[in-house]
Each structure stands twice: as structure tokens, then as C-alpha cells.
Amino acid sequence: MQDRCQALPEDPAGSRADFASGEARAAYEPSPDEIRRASDLLKVVGDLTRMRILCALLRGELSVSDLQQSLDMSQSAVSHQLRSLRDANLVKYRREWKTVYYSLADDHVLDLITLVVEHIRHD
């Protein structure tokens, strides 16, 4: 089974800052702590299984069982990867009786996935 992330259309108003000038770029230069945290986050996203989970969640909220079936993985393997994504604040969850539902944590996660997919499609 092959999962594919679908890039979302660009915001017509333009959501990215204009980085034409060096001054604009310098304003966004991260601190050493932000660089470390960004690196840690990209390590989490860089795992193939976790990226597949994030891409599946682009469709909306899914239960662990839904993810298990969609990804053709065991429940324990899915839960293990979801724990890493939760720890990185990339997904959120809610419990309904015995069923746990997951979704992307916020629009920043959606933007991150979209930007990565747009970048690889650009080549």
C-alpha cells in the first residue's frame, strides 16, 4: 500500500514572508536553541512511518484502528509512532470511550507537511 501526501493549494493572499532582502531573512534567523529544537522536530518528521501517519491525518481525524488499517501496521507499532508524534506536539488526540482519535495538532503541522511536499515536487 502506498501513501501519498497531496499538497494543498497556495493561499491566494500569500502566506509566506517576502524573503527577497537580506534584512527580511536575518529577522527570521533562529537562535541556537531554536536550531536545536528544529533539528529535533525534523528528526521526528523524518521517520518514514511517522510521515505516513501525518499524511494520513491530512484527511482529518482518524482512530488508531483506522490508521492501523490504512498503514497496514500493528496496533502497537502505530501507537508507538503516535507517541513520538504526540511528544513532538505534531498530533493531538481525544478519547471517546475506548477509542482514541488523532488529528494534526495545528495548522503549522499542515503547513510543514505541505511545504515539504511542495519542495520535493518542485524538482
Side-chain angles (χ1 to χ4, degrees), residues 17-104:
D18 179 11
F19 287 107
S21 75
E23 287 180 23
R25 287 191 297 267
Y28 286 92
E29 186 175 338
S31 70
D33 182 58
E34 289 171 325
I35 291 170
R36 181 195 54 77
R37 291 173 53 206
S39 177
D40 291 344
L41 178 69
L42 291 173
K43 287 175 191 173
V44 173
V45 174
D47 177 84
L48 178 62
T49 301
R50 291 189 286 262
M51 187 63 164
R52 290 177 67 209
I53 291 170
L54 291 171
C55 288
L57 293 174
L58 288 173
R59 294 177 285 219
E61 184 180 73
L62 295 171
S63 70
V64 174
S65 177
D66 293 335
L67 287 166
Q68 177 186 349
Q69 291 174 357
S70 174
L71 302 173
D72 193 27
M73 294 174 58
S74 70
Q75 184 272 334
S76 63
V78 170
S79 293
H80 175 77
Q81 298 302 334
L82 285 167
R83 175 64 180 229
S84 295
L85 292 168
R86 270 195 347 247
D87 289 347
N89 297 314
L90 293 168
V91 297
K92 60 184 178 182
Y93 71 97
R94 69 176 180 87
R95 188 178 303 274
E96 190 173 298
W97 296 95
K98 292 184 179 183
T99 305
V100 180
Y101 294 92
Y102 282 86
S103 59
L104 297 178

Side-chain angles (χ1 to χ4, degrees), residues 6-25:
Q6 298 296 320
L8 300 177
E10 283 279 334
D11 176 10
S15 59
R16 291 191 179 85
D18 179 11
F19 287 107
S21 75
E23 287 180 23
R25 287 191 297 267

